[in-house]
Amino acid sequence: MRCPFCKNDDTRVVDSRVTDDGQAIRRRRSCSACGRRFSTVESAVLTVVKRNGLTEPFSREKVMKGVRRASQGRHVDEDSLAKLASQVEDAVRSSGSAEISSNEVAMAILGPLRDLDEVAYLRFASVYRSFESADDFQREIDELRRDRR
């Protein structure tokens, strides 16, 4: 790791700690040339492959934005959205793959969203499962009712 102050390549790790619920490691480093200390944060990058083939880093904020849109006008608070986004991230990271499709992310959202708000779930599912008719909605509503019993 290069020192941000003197640009020397010879630095050593003084201390390491797990942060962000185990998703990252914070390392305290010391430069052997200038003696100054600095911190680095290391995390595994999870890449999302979009439908058009482009890739981008996984973003909890993007998950929250999509769910916020689906739950517009509903009584869903920001804490619930943040918790859902964290559950989705944990689920997609547990796949063990460094790359995951955007469709897999959407499917990982559906389970927690179904538990959070059924109307928001139906809105979200209608887009990501490509509902084409009222019959698709009715089938999903029937399944929700069946699971509720």
Side-chain angles (χ1 to χ4, degrees), residues 35-143:
R36 295 179 77 178
R37 290 185 172 202
F38 59 98
S39 295
T40 59
V41 177
E42 300 173 17
S43 62
V45 177
L46 178 62
T47 304
V48 177
V49 180
K50 298 170 74 169
R51 291 179 190 164
N52 62 8
L54 295 175
T55 61
E56 63 182 41
F58 176 84
S59 166
R60 282 186 190 183
E61 282 301 316
K62 198 162 183 181
V63 169
M64 289 175 62
K65 182 180 174 184
V67 174
R68 190 178 293 120
R69 193 176 313 125
S71 59
Q72 190 172 1
R74 305 291 300 161
H75 298 287
V76 177
D77 61 18
E78 287 296 310
D79 288 342
S80 298
L81 290 177
K83 183 178 177 185
L84 184 141
S86 180
Q87 290 173 327
V88 170
E89 183 174 11
D90 290 346
V92 296
R93 283 193 185 275
S94 71
S95 74
S97 178
E99 283 189 352
I100 190 162
S101 72
S102 58
N103 190 55
E104 290 176 87
V105 174
M107 293 303 138
I109 291 171
L110 288 175
L113 183 56
R114 185 178 187 168
D115 297 336
L116 181 64
D117 187 273
E118 290 178 344
V119 173
Y121 166 79
L122 285 171
R123 291 174 179 170
F124 194 87
S126 71
V127 173
Y128 287 97
R129 288 192 175 162
S130 303
F131 288 6
E132 294 181 7
S133 68
D135 292 337
D136 293 334
F137 279 96
Q138 189 60 52
R139 212 173 297 113
E140 199 65 38
I141 290 169
D142 291 344
E143 189 176 317

Side-chain angles (χ1 to χ4, degrees), residues 9-44:
D9 286 333
D10 188 22
T11 63
R12 66 182 184 87
V13 175
V14 177
D15 182 41
S16 294
R17 295 181 187 199
V18 175
T19 62
D20 196 21
D21 295 329
Q23 299 299 321
I25 296 175
R26 179 183 172 271
R27 298 198 193 280
R28 190 77 179 138
R29 296 179 177 269
S30 175
C31 177
S32 61
C34 69
R36 295 179 77 178
R37 290 185 172 202
F38 59 98
S39 295
T40 59
V41 177
E42 300 173 17
S43 62

